[in-house]
Amino acid sequence: MPIAAALLPEVDQELANTRKCPERVPSAKFNSKPHPKSFDLGSLAVHIATVPEWGVTTLNTETFDYQPPGAEPYKPPVAKDTAELLAMFDKGAKEFRAALAAADDAALSKNWQFLGGGTPIFTMPRVAVIRGMILNHMIHHRGQLTVYLRLNDIPVPATYGPTADES
């Protein structure tokens, strides 16, 4: 079985489960923070919404430098409301899935590099980047977002069956 075919069911499941969290984030709560050093709710939700775009970048480039020497650093987008947030996620998810479906084993086995200021942070096969930096990262922040939702008395969505908030 091709690598992409093996990954796609997991990607589809995690994208669907992840979307349930930012769709619960009310625009009026975007500035809410659990702690002064924490992301605000809107920024965390945008971070999650843009992770699928990172999958596209991983599949379509050789490297990504979030702070390239002599150039502007990566600046995350800003969503003005929940609709814009979900449009961001949906666009990235659609493009990520299409790029992954089109990737062959050779492309997925090829090393990809993440850099900061021209310094390599890690180099690993694209398939490992997709599993580690894309999926695991998205799942991690999805869990973080559920805590923010609970702190704001917003029901946490079910991902694998009913939860205490929805039963």
Side-chain angles (χ1 to χ4, degrees), residues 139-167:
I139 293 163
H140 160 75
H141 285 299
R142 181 174 80 205
Q144 185 181 13
L145 184 59
T146 64
V147 173
Y148 279 50
L149 294 175
R150 280 228 168 93
L151 290 171
N152 282 280
D153 295 320
I154 301 165
V156 173
T159 54
Y160 300 105
T163 67
D165 294 344
E166 297 186 326
S167 54

Side-chain angles (χ1 to χ4, degrees), residues 68-151:
E72 290 295 313
Y74 170 77
K75 184 175 181 192
V78 175
K80 70 177 188 289
D81 57 32
T82 306
E84 206 171 272
L85 173 69
L86 293 174
M88 204 180 289
F89 180 85
D90 291 342
K91 178 181 181 292
K94 180 180 177 182
E95 291 174 1
F96 174 42
R97 192 188 194 289
L100 180 58
D104 61 22
D105 286 0
L108 289 167
S109 298
K110 189 172 182 181
N111 276 345
W112 185 86
Q113 192 169 61
F114 184 60
L115 303 114
T119 302
I121 295 171
F122 66 76
T123 302
M124 63 177 87
R126 283 188 175 106
V127 65
V129 175
I130 289 167
R131 176 66 54 68
M133 189 177 112
I134 308 304
L135 293 179
N136 291 352
H137 193 91
M138 187 168 61
I139 293 163
H140 160 75
H141 285 299
R142 181 174 80 205
Q144 185 181 13
L145 184 59
T146 64
V147 173
Y148 279 50
L149 294 175
R150 280 228 168 93
L151 290 171

Side-chain angles (χ1 to χ4, degrees), residues 1-61:
M1 172 184 292
I3 296 169
L7 280 174
L8 281 168
E10 180 181 5
V11 167
D12 289 341
Q13 178 178 322
E14 295 308 338
L15 289 170
N17 284 333
T18 297
R19 191 185 192 283
K20 293 174 187 179
C21 289
E23 71 187 15
R24 299 276 176 120
V25 177
S27 305
K29 295 279 189 175
F30 273 22
N31 292 324
S32 173
K33 282 182 158 191
H35 187 275
K37 292 182 179 180
S38 298
F39 266 136
D40 61 56
L41 183 56
S43 296
L44 177 59
V46 166
H47 183 64
I48 293 166
T50 59
V51 170
E53 289 178 18
W54 301 1
V56 177
T57 299
T58 300
L59 292 164
N60 293 335
T61 66

